[in-house]
Amino acid sequence: MATISFGGLGNGLDFGQVVDQLVKVAHLPVDRLTAQKGDLSSKSTDYATLSTKLIALQGAADKLRLSTSFDRTTTSVSDTTAMTAIGSSTATSGTYSVRVTQLAQAHQITNKAATSVATTTTDIVGGASGTFTFRVGSGTDQTITLSDTATLEDLKSAINDLGAGATASIINTGSDTTPAYRLVLSSTSTGASNGITIVADNTTLDFTNSGGTGGVDTLQAAQDAVAIVGDPALNPVTVTRSTNAISDAIAGVTLTLLKTTGTSTVQVNVSRDVTAVKDNIKGLATAYNEVVKFINERTTYDVATKKGGNFFNEPTVRGVLSQIRTALSTTMTGTSSLNTVGALGFKTDREGTITVDDAKLDTALSANYANVRNLFINQTGSTGIAQVLNTTIDALTNVASGQLTLRKNGLSKQITDLSADILRKEDAVSKYEERLKAQYAALDGLLKRLQSQSSSLLQSNSSNGN
């Protein structure tokens, strides 16, 4: 607030300070409202953060809510240079022997050396025009029409522009001083059924050998991948596929073949991924603790200042804590002795947070994996704990009726109303200040005139000898 200064009386009284103090007193209600708005804004921010932490807890519960969350596998391969393996939720635990006798390849051909050209811009059409027709596998014929001045580069670009299952490139099979450029056609897909056939060629490249010196050189054969699954000494199964990524040789496992193994076999081990499940269970406890700790930190009361935290005496927060605690401690039916998270090693401390007994959890996962699974996921006639938590948080954060949402909306309205009230009162104080300025300015002027008149009278009396 700017300081106001008036001339004042000779006794040193400054009306500007009087106005400042009066305005400061008038502004006190505004200051109180501003402080109240700040407190509400801080509380609103904490409610928003609480919502975020509840959503994180819901996300942790979702990782345990579905059966696929527990039907997880991990794979290992005895020779990762030969193949890799990735298991899905449908994979069955076991060890499998795999031998790779052939890798899938994409067909790759080029014109004969005798029909190579000296530059990539050499004219390869002998007549007024030319055509080049090819087919990939059992697909349709692809024909390119070339002008009388078409070059090797033109043909390459035209093939690539088709996007018809084959790509073209140019290689120099000569030397730097005596280049010999040839066109290479490569199938975009591997497998014996994706070979490239040159149907017609009346360019000088002569892929069809109509002139007697042309033809095709095969750089890479079109072939399938061949893998043998099982003990070679017994009754193994031979699997032939067009790609090196084989997803149906071992149920639920995708094998990516990298090299042939000759007569050697590679062991592919598929096992239940207990570690991932354990991490998700402990992750649920961690996310729950984040909510509890956040609430605890804001529910304190300072005796010295007689002021509570943002969540002190907040029924909504107490309701949130009570409901998620009840959801997590639900007793399930039909899950034998493992009917609560306490049976897995969950223990609540005096602060309300959870610690997890690793040894107890490991024992449960090792000895009663199915029952641990049934504790969290939905069963016929019962809802799993993960789903109970999910539903509870959904209800709390529902955009129309959730307790948390309603409280946040209420705080937002209070802040909006306070903001409007502050603006009105600020305007009233400003107008009050202007009136004070005018009044004291008038008083200051009046006193100056009176002082001037008094001085004149004194001077007049003095000159008259009085």
Side-chain angles (χ1 to χ4, degrees), residues 353-419:
T353 54
I354 291 171
T355 56
V356 181
D357 186 330
D358 272 338
K360 196 170 183 178
L361 179 57
D362 287 339
T363 299
L365 288 169
S366 175
N368 299 288
Y369 190 84
N371 287 337
V372 174
R373 174 179 179 273
N374 293 340
L375 176 63
F376 288 100
I377 69 172
N378 292 348
Q379 297 293 301
T380 302
S382 66
T383 304
I385 285 176
Q387 182 62 58
V388 172
L389 259 174
N390 182 287
T391 303
T392 298
I393 295 171
D394 266 346
L396 288 168
T397 57
N398 184 279
V399 294
S401 60
Q403 293 180 28
L404 202 59
T405 304
L406 293 175
R407 180 58 177 139
K408 286 161 61 179
N409 291 344
L411 287 170
S412 295
K413 185 178 185 307
Q414 284 182 275
I415 292 168
T416 300
D417 291 345
L418 277 173
S419 297

Short mmCIF file of all heavy atoms in Angstrom, two decimals, residues 353-419:
data_model
loop_
_atom_site.label_atom_id
_atom_site.label_comp_id
_atom_site.label_asym_id
_atom_site.label_seq_id
_atom_site.Cartn_x
_atom_site.Cartn_y
_atom_site.Cartn_z
N THR A 353 0.51 -48.01 8.47
CA THR A 353 1.18 -48.49 7.26
C THR A 353 1.42 -50.00 7.36
O THR A 353 1.30 -50.60 8.43
CB THR A 353 2.51 -47.76 7.03
OG1 THR A 353 3.33 -47.87 8.21
CG2 THR A 353 2.28 -46.30 6.72
N ILE A 354 1.78 -50.60 6.23
CA ILE A 354 1.91 -52.05 6.14
C ILE A 354 3.36 -52.45 5.92
O ILE A 354 4.08 -51.84 5.13
CB ILE A 354 1.04 -52.59 4.98
CG1 ILE A 354 -0.43 -52.44 5.32
CG2 ILE A 354 1.37 -54.04 4.67
CD1 ILE A 354 -1.34 -52.75 4.15
N THR A 355 3.77 -53.49 6.61
CA THR A 355 5.05 -54.14 6.32
C THR A 355 4.72 -55.53 5.79
O THR A 355 3.69 -56.12 6.14
CB THR A 355 5.93 -54.25 7.57
OG1 THR A 355 5.21 -54.96 8.60
CG2 THR A 355 6.33 -52.89 8.09
N VAL A 356 5.58 -56.06 4.93
CA VAL A 356 5.36 -57.37 4.34
C VAL A 356 6.47 -58.31 4.76
O VAL A 356 7.66 -58.00 4.58
CB VAL A 356 5.29 -57.28 2.79
CG1 VAL A 356 5.03 -58.67 2.20
CG2 VAL A 356 4.20 -56.32 2.35
N ASP A 357 6.09 -59.43 5.33
CA ASP A 357 7.05 -60.46 5.74
C ASP A 357 7.44 -61.24 4.49
O ASP A 357 6.67 -62.06 3.98
CB ASP A 357 6.39 -61.37 6.78
CG ASP A 357 7.37 -62.39 7.36
OD1 ASP A 357 8.30 -62.79 6.64
OD2 ASP A 357 7.19 -62.79 8.52
N ASP A 358 8.66 -61.00 3.99
CA ASP A 358 9.11 -61.64 2.75
C ASP A 358 9.08 -63.17 2.84
O ASP A 358 8.66 -63.85 1.90
CB ASP A 358 10.54 -61.18 2.41
CG ASP A 358 10.54 -59.92 1.57
OD1 ASP A 358 9.53 -59.64 0.92
OD2 ASP A 358 11.57 -59.21 1.55
N ALA A 359 9.55 -63.70 3.96
CA ALA A 359 9.61 -65.16 4.10
C ALA A 359 8.21 -65.77 4.05
O ALA A 359 7.99 -66.80 3.40
CB ALA A 359 10.31 -65.51 5.42
N LYS A 360 7.28 -65.12 4.72
CA LYS A 360 5.90 -65.63 4.74
C LYS A 360 5.27 -65.55 3.35
O LYS A 360 4.55 -66.47 2.93
CB LYS A 360 5.08 -64.82 5.75
CG LYS A 360 3.77 -65.47 6.16
CD LYS A 360 3.14 -64.73 7.33
CE LYS A 360 1.87 -65.43 7.80
NZ LYS A 360 1.26 -64.75 8.97
N LEU A 361 5.55 -64.46 2.64
CA LEU A 361 5.02 -64.31 1.28
C LEU A 361 5.63 -65.35 0.35
O LEU A 361 4.93 -65.96 -0.47
CB LEU A 361 5.29 -62.90 0.77
CG LEU A 361 4.81 -62.57 -0.65
CD1 LEU A 361 3.31 -62.82 -0.80
CD2 LEU A 361 5.14 -61.12 -1.00
N ASP A 362 6.93 -65.56 0.47
CA ASP A 362 7.61 -66.57 -0.37
C ASP A 362 7.02 -67.95 -0.14
O ASP A 362 6.81 -68.72 -1.10
CB ASP A 362 9.11 -66.59 -0.08
CG ASP A 362 9.83 -65.36 -0.63
OD1 ASP A 362 9.29 -64.74 -1.56
OD2 ASP A 362 10.93 -65.05 -0.13
N THR A 363 6.78 -68.28 1.12
CA THR A 363 6.21 -69.60 1.45
C THR A 363 4.83 -69.76 0.84
O THR A 363 4.50 -70.81 0.27
CB THR A 363 6.13 -69.77 2.98
OG1 THR A 363 7.45 -69.70 3.53
CG2 THR A 363 5.51 -71.11 3.34
N ALA A 364 4.02 -68.72 0.94
CA ALA A 364 2.67 -68.78 0.38
C ALA A 364 2.70 -68.96 -1.13
O ALA A 364 1.95 -69.77 -1.69
CB ALA A 364 1.89 -67.52 0.75
N LEU A 365 3.58 -68.23 -1.80
CA LEU A 365 3.67 -68.32 -3.26
C LEU A 365 4.22 -69.67 -3.69
O LEU A 365 3.85 -70.20 -4.75
CB LEU A 365 4.56 -67.20 -3.80
CG LEU A 365 3.96 -65.79 -3.76
CD1 LEU A 365 5.03 -64.75 -4.07
CD2 LEU A 365 2.81 -65.66 -4.74
N SER A 366 5.10 -70.24 -2.90
CA SER A 366 5.71 -71.52 -3.24
C SER A 366 4.77 -72.69 -2.98
O SER A 366 4.63 -73.59 -3.82
CB SER A 366 7.00 -71.71 -2.45
OG SER A 366 7.55 -72.99 -2.69
N ALA A 367 4.09 -72.65 -1.84
CA ALA A 367 3.27 -73.80 -1.44
C ALA A 367 1.81 -73.69 -1.86
O ALA A 367 1.14 -74.72 -2.05
CB ALA A 367 3.36 -73.98 0.08
N ASN A 368 1.30 -72.46 -2.00
CA ASN A 368 -0.13 -72.28 -2.27
C ASN A 368 -0.38 -71.22 -3.34
O ASN A 368 -1.18 -70.30 -3.14
CB ASN A 368 -0.87 -71.89 -0.97
CG ASN A 368 -0.76 -72.94 0.11
OD1 ASN A 368 -1.38 -73.98 0.01
ND2 ASN A 368 0.03 -72.66 1.14
N TYR A 369 0.32 -71.35 -4.45
CA TYR A 369 0.24 -70.32 -5.49
C TYR A 369 -1.19 -70.10 -5.96
O TYR A 369 -1.64 -68.95 -6.11
CB TYR A 369 1.12 -70.70 -6.68
CG TYR A 369 1.29 -69.59 -7.70
CD1 TYR A 369 2.24 -68.61 -7.51
CD2 TYR A 369 0.48 -69.53 -8.84
CE1 TYR A 369 2.40 -67.58 -8.44
CE2 TYR A 369 0.62 -68.51 -9.76
CZ TYR A 369 1.59 -67.54 -9.55
OH TYR A 369 1.74 -66.52 -10.46
N ALA A 370 -1.92 -71.18 -6.16
CA ALA A 370 -3.30 -71.06 -6.66
C ALA A 370 -4.18 -70.32 -5.67
O ALA A 370 -5.04 -69.52 -6.04
CB ALA A 370 -3.87 -72.45 -6.95
N ASN A 371 -3.97 -70.58 -4.37
CA ASN A 371 -4.77 -69.91 -3.35
C ASN A 371 -4.43 -68.43 -3.25
O ASN A 371 -5.30 -67.59 -2.99
CB ASN A 371 -4.58 -70.59 -1.99
CG ASN A 371 -5.28 -71.93 -1.93
OD1 ASN A 371 -6.22 -72.19 -2.67
ND2 ASN A 371 -4.80 -72.81 -1.05
N VAL A 372 -3.12 -68.08 -3.42
CA VAL A 372 -2.73 -66.67 -3.44
C VAL A 372 -3.42 -65.97 -4.61
O VAL A 372 -3.96 -64.87 -4.48
CB VAL A 372 -1.20 -66.52 -3.57
CG1 VAL A 372 -0.82 -65.05 -3.73
CG2 VAL A 372 -0.50 -67.12 -2.35
N ARG A 373 -3.42 -66.65 -5.74
CA ARG A 373 -4.08 -66.12 -6.95
C ARG A 373 -5.56 -65.89 -6.69
O ARG A 373 -6.12 -64.84 -7.01
CB ARG A 373 -3.88 -67.11 -8.08
CG ARG A 373 -4.59 -66.81 -9.39
CD ARG A 373 -4.23 -67.92 -10.39
NE ARG A 373 -4.87 -67.75 -11.66
CZ ARG A 373 -6.08 -68.21 -11.96
NH1 ARG A 373 -6.79 -68.85 -11.03
NH2 ARG A 373 -6.59 -68.02 -13.16
N ASN A 374 -6.22 -66.86 -6.06
CA ASN A 374 -7.66 -66.78 -5.81
C ASN A 374 -8.01 -65.70 -4.79
O ASN A 374 -9.15 -65.24 -4.75
CB ASN A 374 -8.19 -68.12 -5.37
CG ASN A 374 -8.13 -69.16 -6.47
OD1 ASN A 374 -8.03 -68.83 -7.65
ND2 ASN A 374 -8.14 -70.43 -6.09
N LEU A 375 -7.05 -65.34 -3.94
CA LEU A 375 -7.30 -64.30 -2.95
C LEU A 375 -7.49 -62.94 -3.62
O LEU A 375 -8.29 -62.12 -3.16
CB LEU A 375 -6.12 -64.24 -1.97
CG LEU A 375 -6.15 -63.14 -0.90
CD1 LEU A 375 -7.34 -63.33 0.03
CD2 LEU A 375 -4.85 -63.14 -0.11
N PHE A 376 -6.80 -62.72 -4.72
CA PHE A 376 -6.82 -61.40 -5.36
C PHE A 376 -7.81 -61.30 -6.52
O PHE A 376 -8.38 -60.24 -6.74
CB PHE A 376 -5.43 -61.03 -5.85
CG PHE A 376 -4.48 -60.67 -4.74
CD1 PHE A 376 -3.55 -61.59 -4.28
CD2 PHE A 376 -4.51 -59.41 -4.16
CE1 PHE A 376 -2.68 -61.27 -3.25
CE2 PHE A 376 -3.64 -59.07 -3.14
CZ PHE A 376 -2.71 -60.01 -2.68
N ILE A 377 -7.99 -62.37 -7.28
CA ILE A 377 -8.84 -62.27 -8.46
C ILE A 377 -10.28 -62.68 -8.13
O ILE A 377 -10.55 -63.30 -7.10
CB ILE A 377 -8.31 -63.14 -9.62
CG1 ILE A 377 -8.46 -64.63 -9.30
CG2 ILE A 377 -6.86 -62.80 -9.90
CD1 ILE A 377 -8.15 -65.54 -10.47
N ASN A 378 -11.21 -62.35 -9.01
CA ASN A 378 -12.61 -62.69 -8.81
C ASN A 378 -12.82 -64.20 -8.96
O ASN A 378 -12.25 -64.84 -9.85
CB ASN A 378 -13.49 -61.96 -9.82
CG ASN A 378 -13.53 -60.47 -9.56
OD1 ASN A 378 -13.09 -60.00 -8.53
ND2 ASN A 378 -14.07 -59.73 -10.51
N GLN A 379 -13.67 -64.73 -8.08
CA GLN A 379 -14.05 -66.14 -8.13
C GLN A 379 -15.57 -66.22 -8.24
O GLN A 379 -16.28 -65.25 -7.98
CB GLN A 379 -13.59 -66.86 -6.86
CG GLN A 379 -12.08 -66.89 -6.66
CD GLN A 379 -11.38 -67.73 -7.72
OE1 GLN A 379 -11.64 -68.92 -7.85
NE2 GLN A 379 -10.49 -67.11 -8.48
N THR A 380 -16.06 -67.37 -8.60
CA THR A 380 -17.51 -67.55 -8.66
C THR A 380 -18.10 -67.33 -7.27
O THR A 380 -17.74 -68.01 -6.31
CB THR A 380 -17.85 -68.98 -9.14
OG1 THR A 380 -17.25 -69.19 -10.42
CG2 THR A 380 -19.36 -69.15 -9.24
N GLY A 381 -18.96 -66.35 -7.17
CA GLY A 381 -19.61 -66.06 -5.89
C GLY A 381 -18.82 -65.16 -4.96
O GLY A 381 -19.29 -64.85 -3.87
N SER A 382 -17.64 -64.73 -5.37
CA SER A 382 -16.85 -63.84 -4.50
C SER A 382 -16.02 -62.89 -5.35
O SER A 382 -15.66 -63.19 -6.49
CB SER A 382 -15.94 -64.63 -3.57
OG SER A 382 -14.95 -65.33 -4.31
N THR A 383 -15.74 -61.74 -4.77
CA THR A 383 -14.95 -60.72 -5.46
C THR A 383 -13.56 -60.66 -4.83
O THR A 383 -13.43 -60.56 -3.61
CB THR A 383 -15.62 -59.34 -5.34
OG1 THR A 383 -16.95 -59.43 -5.85
CG2 THR A 383 -14.86 -58.29 -6.12
N GLY A 384 -12.54 -60.72 -5.65
CA GLY A 384 -11.17 -60.70 -5.14
C GLY A 384 -10.82 -59.38 -4.50
O GLY A 384 -11.42 -58.34 -4.78
N ILE A 385 -9.81 -59.42 -3.62
CA ILE A 385 -9.40 -58.22 -2.89
C ILE A 385 -8.99 -57.10 -3.84
O ILE A 385 -9.30 -55.92 -3.61
CB ILE A 385 -8.26 -58.56 -1.91
CG1 ILE A 385 -8.83 -59.32 -0.70
CG2 ILE A 385 -7.55 -57.30 -1.42
CD1 ILE A 385 -7.79 -59.78 0.28
N ALA A 386 -8.30 -57.44 -4.92
CA ALA A 386 -7.86 -56.41 -5.87
C ALA A 386 -9.06 -55.70 -6.49
O ALA A 386 -9.05 -54.49 -6.68
CB ALA A 386 -6.98 -57.03 -6.96
N GLN A 387 -10.10 -56.48 -6.79
CA GLN A 387 -11.31 -55.87 -7.36
C GLN A 387 -12.05 -55.05 -6.32
O GLN A 387 -12.62 -53.99 -6.63
CB GLN A 387 -12.24 -56.96 -7.91
CG GLN A 387 -13.50 -56.42 -8.58
CD GLN A 387 -13.20 -55.55 -9.78
OE1 GLN A 387 -12.56 -56.00 -10.72
NE2 GLN A 387 -13.62 -54.30 -9.75
N VAL A 388 -12.06 -55.52 -5.06
CA VAL A 388 -12.71 -54.76 -3.99
C VAL A 388 -12.05 -53.39 -3.85
O VAL A 388 -12.73 -52.37 -3.74
CB VAL A 388 -12.64 -55.53 -2.65
CG1 VAL A 388 -13.14 -54.66 -1.50
CG2 VAL A 388 -13.46 -56.80 -2.72
N LEU A 389 -10.72 -53.37 -3.87
CA LEU A 389 -9.99 -52.10 -3.79
C LEU A 389 -10.31 -51.21 -4.99
O LEU A 389 -10.54 -50.01 -4.85
CB LEU A 389 -8.49 -52.36 -3.73
CG LEU A 389 -7.81 -52.28 -2.37
CD1 LEU A 389 -6.35 -52.71 -2.48
CD2 LEU A 389 -7.90 -50.88 -1.79
N ASN A 390 -10.29 -51.81 -6.15
CA ASN A 390 -10.57 -51.06 -7.38
C ASN A 390 -11.94 -50.41 -7.32
O ASN A 390 -12.11 -49.22 -7.62
CB ASN A 390 -10.47 -52.00 -8.58
CG ASN A 390 -10.69 -51.30 -9.91
OD1 ASN A 390 -11.81 -50.93 -10.24
ND2 ASN A 390 -9.64 -51.13 -10.67
N THR A 391 -12.95 -51.19 -6.90
CA THR A 391 -14.32 -50.67 -6.83
C THR A 391 -14.44 -49.58 -5.77
O THR A 391 -15.14 -48.58 -5.97
CB THR A 391 -15.29 -51.82 -6.51
OG1 THR A 391 -15.16 -52.84 -7.51
CG2 THR A 391 -16.73 -51.33 -6.47
N THR A 392 -13.77 -49.78 -4.64
CA THR A 392 -13.81 -48.79 -3.55
C THR A 392 -13.25 -47.45 -4.01
O THR A 392 -13.85 -46.39 -3.76
CB THR A 392 -13.01 -49.30 -2.34
OG1 THR A 392 -13.60 -50.50 -1.85
CG2 THR A 392 -12.98 -48.26 -1.22
N ILE A 393 -12.12 -47.48 -4.69
CA ILE A 393 -11.50 -46.24 -5.15
C ILE A 393 -12.34 -45.59 -6.25
O ILE A 393 -12.46 -44.36 -6.33
CB ILE A 393 -10.05 -46.50 -5.62
CG1 ILE A 393 -9.21 -46.94 -4.42
CG2 ILE A 393 -9.44 -45.25 -6.26
CD1 ILE A 393 -7.82 -47.45 -4.77
N ASP A 394 -12.93 -46.42 -7.10
CA ASP A 394 -13.84 -45.88 -8.12
C ASP A 394 -14.98 -45.09 -7.48
O ASP A 394 -15.35 -44.01 -7.94
CB ASP A 394 -14.43 -47.03 -8.96
CG ASP A 394 -13.64 -47.28 -10.23
OD1 ASP A 394 -12.81 -46.43 -10.59
OD2 ASP A 394 -13.85 -48.33 -10.85
N ALA A 395 -15.54 -45.65 -6.40
CA ALA A 395 -16.65 -44.99 -5.72
C ALA A 395 -16.19 -43.69 -5.07
O ALA A 395 -16.91 -42.68 -5.09
CB ALA A 395 -17.24 -45.92 -4.67
N LEU A 396 -15.00 -43.68 -4.50
CA LEU A 396 -14.49 -42.48 -3.83
C LEU A 396 -14.21 -41.35 -4.82
O LEU A 396 -14.38 -40.17 -4.51
CB LEU A 396 -13.21 -42.81 -3.06
CG LEU A 396 -13.36 -43.65 -1.79
CD1 LEU A 396 -12.00 -44.13 -1.30
CD2 LEU A 396 -14.05 -42.83 -0.70
N THR A 397 -13.75 -41.72 -6.02
CA THR A 397 -13.33 -40.71 -7.00
C THR A 397 -14.35 -40.49 -8.11
O THR A 397 -14.05 -39.80 -9.08
CB THR A 397 -11.98 -41.11 -7.62
OG1 THR A 397 -12.10 -42.40 -8.24
CG2 THR A 397 -10.88 -41.17 -6.57
N ASN A 398 -15.51 -41.10 -7.99
CA ASN A 398 -16.55 -40.94 -9.01
C ASN A 398 -16.80 -39.45 -9.29
O ASN A 398 -16.98 -38.66 -8.36
CB ASN A 398 -17.84 -41.62 -8.55
CG ASN A 398 -18.93 -41.57 -9.60
OD1 ASN A 398 -19.61 -40.56 -9.76
ND2 ASN A 398 -19.09 -42.65 -10.33
N VAL A 399 -16.83 -39.09 -10.56
CA VAL A 399 -16.92 -37.67 -10.92
C VAL A 399 -18.24 -37.03 -10.52
O VAL A 399 -18.34 -35.80 -10.39
CB VAL A 399 -16.72 -37.48 -12.44
CG1 VAL A 399 -15.32 -37.85 -12.84
CG2 VAL A 399 -17.73 -38.30 -13.24
N ALA A 400 -19.26 -37.85 -10.30
CA ALA A 400 -20.57 -37.29 -9.96
C ALA A 400 -20.90 -37.42 -8.48
O ALA A 400 -21.49 -36.51 -7.89
CB ALA A 400 -21.66 -37.97 -10.78
N SER A 401 -20.51 -38.54 -7.86
CA SER A 401 -20.98 -38.78 -6.50
C SER A 401 -19.89 -39.18 -5.51
O SER A 401 -20.19 -39.43 -4.34
CB SER A 401 -22.05 -39.89 -6.52
OG SER A 401 -21.49 -41.09 -7.07
N GLY A 402 -18.64 -39.27 -5.95
CA GLY A 402 -17.56 -39.70 -5.07
C GLY A 402 -17.34 -38.74 -3.91
O GLY A 402 -17.37 -37.52 -4.10
N GLN A 403 -17.14 -39.28 -2.70
CA GLN A 403 -16.91 -38.43 -1.53
C GLN A 403 -15.74 -37.48 -1.75
O GLN A 403 -15.80 -36.30 -1.40
CB GLN A 403 -16.63 -39.31 -0.30
CG GLN A 403 -17.81 -40.14 0.17
CD GLN A 403 -17.45 -40.98 1.37
OE1 GLN A 403 -16.58 -40.61 2.15
NE2 GLN A 403 -18.11 -42.11 1.53
N LEU A 404 -14.68 -38.03 -2.32
CA LEU A 404 -13.50 -37.21 -2.55
C LEU A 404 -13.78 -36.11 -3.57
O LEU A 404 -13.38 -34.95 -3.38
CB LEU A 404 -12.35 -38.11 -3.03
CG LEU A 404 -10.93 -37.59 -2.84
CD1 LEU A 404 -10.63 -37.31 -1.39
CD2 LEU A 404 -9.94 -38.61 -3.40
N THR A 405 -14.49 -36.46 -4.61
CA THR A 405 -14.83 -35.49 -5.64
C THR A 405 -15.71 -34.38 -5.09
O THR A 405 -15.49 -33.20 -5.37
CB THR A 405 -15.54 -36.18 -6.82
OG1 THR A 405 -14.72 -37.23 -7.32
CG2 THR A 405 -15.83 -35.19 -7.93
N LEU A 406 -16.70 -34.77 -4.30
CA LEU A 406 -17.62 -33.78 -3.74
C LEU A 406 -16.88 -32.81 -2.81
O LEU A 406 -17.16 -31.60 -2.83
CB LEU A 406 -18.74 -34.48 -2.97
CG LEU A 406 -19.72 -35.32 -3.82
CD1 LEU A 406 -20.71 -36.05 -2.93
CD2 LEU A 406 -20.44 -34.44 -4.84
N ARG A 407 -15.95 -33.34 -2.02
CA ARG A 407 -15.19 -32.46 -1.12
C ARG A 407 -14.30 -31.52 -1.93
O ARG A 407 -14.20 -30.31 -1.61
CB ARG A 407 -14.35 -33.30 -0.16
CG ARG A 407 -13.51 -32.49 0.82
CD ARG A 407 -14.38 -31.58 1.66
NE ARG A 407 -13.62 -30.85 2.66
CZ ARG A 407 -13.80 -29.59 2.97
NH1 ARG A 407 -14.75 -28.89 2.36
NH2 ARG A 407 -13.07 -29.01 3.91
N LYS A 408 -13.67 -32.02 -2.96
CA LYS A 408 -12.82 -31.18 -3.81
C LYS A 408 -13.65 -30.09 -4.49
O LYS A 408 -13.22 -28.93 -4.57
CB LYS A 408 -12.10 -32.04 -4.86
CG LYS A 408 -10.97 -32.88 -4.29
CD LYS A 408 -10.59 -34.03 -5.20
CE LYS A 408 -10.11 -33.58 -6.54
NZ LYS A 408 -9.73 -34.73 -7.40
N ASN A 409 -14.82 -30.47 -4.96
CA ASN A 409 -15.70 -29.48 -5.59
C ASN A 409 -16.16 -28.43 -4.60
O ASN A 409 -16.27 -27.24 -4.92
CB ASN A 409 -16.92 -30.17 -6.21
CG ASN A 409 -16.56 -31.02 -7.41
OD1 ASN A 409 -15.48 -30.89 -7.96
ND2 ASN A 409 -17.46 -31.91 -7.80
N GLY A 410 -16.43 -28.87 -3.36
CA GLY A 410 -16.84 -27.92 -2.32
C GLY A 410 -15.74 -26.92 -2.01
O GLY A 410 -16.00 -25.72 -1.84
N LEU A 411 -14.49 -27.42 -1.94
CA LEU A 411 -13.36 -26.52 -1.70
C LEU A 411 -13.20 -25.53 -2.85
O LEU A 411 -12.94 -24.34 -2.63
CB LEU A 411 -12.08 -27.33 -1.51
CG LEU A 411 -11.93 -28.10 -0.20
CD1 LEU A 411 -10.75 -29.05 -0.27
CD2 LEU A 411 -11.76 -27.13 0.98
N SER A 412 -13.36 -26.01 -4.06
CA SER A 412 -13.23 -25.13 -5.23
C SER A 412 -14.27 -24.01 -5.19
O SER A 412 -13.97 -22.85 -5.50
CB SER A 412 -13.38 -25.93 -6.53
OG SER A 412 -12.34 -26.85 -6.67
N LYS A 413 -15.50 -24.37 -4.78
CA LYS A 413 -16.55 -23.35 -4.69
C LYS A 413 -16.23 -22.33 -3.60
O LYS A 413 -16.42 -21.12 -3.78
CB LYS A 413 -17.90 -24.00 -4.42
CG LYS A 413 -19.07 -23.01 -4.45
CD LYS A 413 -20.39 -23.69 -4.23
CE LYS A 413 -21.55 -22.70 -4.38
NZ LYS A 413 -21.41 -21.50 -3.55
N GLN A 414 -15.75 -22.80 -2.47
CA GLN A 414 -15.38 -21.89 -1.40
C GLN A 414 -14.29 -20.92 -1.85
O GLN A 414 -14.35 -19.72 -1.56
CB GLN A 414 -14.87 -22.68 -0.17
CG GLN A 414 -15.97 -23.33 0.65
CD GLN A 414 -15.41 -24.05 1.86
OE1 GLN A 414 -14.99 -25.18 1.77
NE2 GLN A 414 -15.38 -23.36 2.99
N ILE A 415 -13.30 -21.44 -2.56
CA ILE A 415 -12.20 -20.59 -3.04
C ILE A 415 -12.72 -19.56 -4.03
O ILE A 415 -12.34 -18.39 -4.00
CB ILE A 415 -11.10 -21.47 -3.69
CG1 ILE A 415 -10.42 -22.32 -2.60
CG2 ILE A 415 -10.08 -20.61 -4.41
CD1 ILE A 415 -9.52 -23.41 -3.15
N THR A 416 -13.63 -20.01 -4.92
CA THR A 416 -14.21 -19.08 -5.90
C THR A 416 -15.01 -17.98 -5.20
O THR A 416 -14.90 -16.80 -5.55
CB THR A 416 -15.11 -19.85 -6.88
OG1 THR A 416 -14.35 -20.83 -7.56
CG2 THR A 416 -15.73 -18.91 -7.90
N ASP A 417 -15.82 -18.38 -4.22
CA ASP A 417 -16.62 -17.40 -3.49
C ASP A 417 -15.74 -16.42 -2.72
O ASP A 417 -16.02 -15.20 -2.69
CB ASP A 417 -17.57 -18.12 -2.51
CG ASP A 417 -18.67 -18.89 -3.23
OD1 ASP A 417 -18.87 -18.64 -4.44
OD2 ASP A 417 -19.31 -19.75 -2.58
N LEU A 418 -14.68 -16.93 -2.10
CA LEU A 418 -13.76 -16.06 -1.36
C LEU A 418 -13.07 -15.08 -2.31
O LEU A 418 -12.88 -13.91 -1.97
CB LEU A 418 -12.72 -16.89 -0.62
CG LEU A 418 -13.13 -17.46 0.74
CD1 LEU A 418 -12.05 -18.40 1.26
CD2 LEU A 418 -13.35 -16.32 1.74
N SER A 419 -12.69 -15.56 -3.47
CA SER A 419 -12.02 -14.69 -4.44
C SER A 419 -12.92 -13.52 -4.82
O SER A 419 -12.48 -12.37 -4.91
CB SER A 419 -11.63 -15.48 -5.69
OG SER A 419 -10.68 -16.48 -5.38
#
